[in-house]
Amino acid sequence: MEKKPMCVENTFHIKAYEIDAMGIVSNIVYVKWFEDLRHLLLDKYYPYQDMMEEKKSPILMKTEVEYKKPLTIMDTVYGKAWFSNLGHTKWEITLEIGTKDTLHCRGKQTGGFYSIEKNRPIAFPKWFVDVYTECQKGNDLYHPTESDFDEIINVWEASVRATHTFLKEEDISFFKEIGRNQALYSVDLVCIKDCTNRIVAFMGIDGTHLEMLFIHPDQRGKGLGKFLVNYAIEKKRVNTVDVNEQNEQAVGFYLHLGFEVTLRDAVDGTGKPFPILHLQLKSN
């Protein structure tokens, strides 16, 4: 199956009670798989717990199913769902069920988000629209696991070598060790993967503080940093960040995005002589 943006995939195992006497999967099972895929998709991009905290709920308005070829209990079934259209208050999800080389069922669901307080459908949050727009470019949000840490630290090193020219080789080795074995474990990590499934940018958040943001040098100038910071502000409620004073590009970047310097330390958190600027998001 071709990879789609803002997408989830899943493997389904056919149960004995989901088939008829001929071993053919019942039509209603496809609808159940559609529901499973839709919940996986929402859980990836807008978890139900987050919506409940914001007094919102997803609503399903319509499900359309096009049956193409029967599945049997001997088949290994793959499912895929992605946001194929995003309007002001309605989304469309396209869903596909198939085997390795054959599409067996295609469908579409229409829905949106509902305000529990206002008792009516509501527009999508700006951060959600931004994620959809970024995914149309071939990039996708990704929440990594520990198995991704080596790839993440490689992005960190490439970025640091391109931007932190004031660091010596021993400094890079020192901070790389801390990052790989300590820092990555202590933050909420959000990555961007490109269309080749390669991690090209990441950030780490601790509460409302942006602890780290690094973009691979071959991806600079594409708006990934701005996208991640805006996501952090609008979705994660981030309002502070610390920056090396000698990294003038980063300082200018955060000032442009609405942060202001509130404090300066002559040394960094490890006591090394790299001045740190503490920035806070300006209040509206």
Side-chain angles (χ1 to χ4, degrees):
M1 288 186 174
E2 179 190 356
K3 184 179 179 181
K4 300 288 185 180
M6 210 170 183
C7 175
V8 294
E9 299 180 3
N10 195 44
T11 301
F12 296 103
H13 300 284
I14 300 171
K15 312 293 193 304
Y17 58 80
E18 295 175 332
I19 61 172
D20 62 17
M22 300 294 293
I24 303 298
V25 174
S26 172
N27 286 352
I28 195 65
V29 175
Y30 295 88
V31 178
K32 173 185 174 296
W33 288 337
F34 281 6
E35 288 298 286
D36 291 340
L37 287 166
R38 177 169 60 89
H39 281 276
L40 286 173
L41 186 63
L42 286 173
D43 190 56
K44 178 179 179 181
Y45 293 102
Y46 202 171
Y48 194 75
Q49 181 179 349
D50 292 355
M51 283 189 266
M52 287 293 95
E53 290 176 356
E54 298 168 11
K55 294 182 170 52
K56 300 173 185 176
S57 176
I59 53 173
L60 180 63
M61 303 171 187
K62 181 169 63 174
T63 296
E64 302 173 53
V65 187
E66 180 185 359
Y67 300 104
K68 292 182 172 291
K69 186 176 181 179
L71 284 164
T72 72
I73 196 168
M74 302 302 294
D75 290 319
T76 299
V77 183
Y78 303 98
K80 179 168 60 175
W82 67 94
F83 286 100
S84 50
N85 190 36
L86 199 68
H88 182 62
T89 59
K90 290 183 181 180
W91 46 251
E92 286 185 359
I93 296 174
T94 298
L95 308 103
E96 292 181 349
I97 303 293
T99 50
K100 184 177 181 181
D101 300 313
T102 305
L103 178 63
H104 289 253
C105 179
R106 180 191 293 271
K108 183 173 72 173
Q109 292 188 332
T110 303
F113 297 127
Y114 193 84
S115 170
I116 298 173
E117 289 184 323
K118 298 179 180 179
N119 200 33
R120 61 177 176 81
I122 54 174
F124 300 116
K126 182 181 180 301
W127 67 262
F128 190 85
V129 177
D130 289 345
V131 170
Y132 176 79
T133 302
E134 193 63 38
C135 285
Q136 302 308 303
K137 302 176 184 177
N139 300 315
D140 199 2
L141 276 186
Y142 173 67
H143 296 276
T145 64
E146 186 177 347
S147 64
D148 299 299
F149 282 8
D150 285 340
E151 184 177 2
I152 289 172
I153 210 67
N154 287 339
V155 173
W156 174 90
E157 183 174 358
S159 177
V160 165
R161 290 187 180 279
T163 59
H164 293 56
T165 54
F166 52 90
L167 294 179
K168 297 178 180 179
E169 194 65 33
E170 57 264 32
D171 296 320
I172 294 176
S173 297
F174 174 79
F175 289 118
K176 182 178 180 180
E177 178 74 14
I178 293 176
R180 176 61 181 86
N181 298 316
Q182 298 179 36
L184 294 183
Y185 290 91
S186 63
V187 293
D188 176 17
L189 288 166
V190 180
C191 297
I192 293 179
K193 283 190 171 185
D194 67 7
C195 59
T196 67
N197 214 35
R198 178 177 67 121
I199 294 175
V200 295
F202 74 94
M203 66 178 173
I205 298 169
D206 183 11
T208 59
H209 183 71
L210 181 60
E211 287 284 351
M212 58 188 77
L213 172 69
F214 293 95
I215 314 298
H216 195 282
D218 66 14
Q219 298 295 311
R220 291 175 65 189
K222 298 182 179 181
L224 299 184
K226 181 179 179 180
F227 164 71
L228 283 174
V229 172
N230 285 337
Y231 178 85
I233 293 170
E234 295 162 12
K235 180 68 173 67
K236 302 293 187 177
R237 302 293 186 263
V238 160
N239 56 23
T240 59
V241 64
D242 298 336
V243 187
N244 286 108
E245 184 180 54
Q246 291 153 289
N247 188 354
E248 296 179 356
Q249 285 188 333
V251 175
F253 169 76
Y254 288 111
L255 293 177
H256 178 71
L257 291 181
F259 288 83
E260 59 185 350
V261 178
T262 59
L263 190 65
R264 180 186 184 274
D265 290 331
V267 296
D268 67 12
T270 67
K272 288 184 176 290
F274 304 122
I276 297 294
L277 299 178
H278 303 276
L279 288 78
Q280 184 165 351
L281 191 65
K282 295 178 184 177
S283 57
N284 294 329

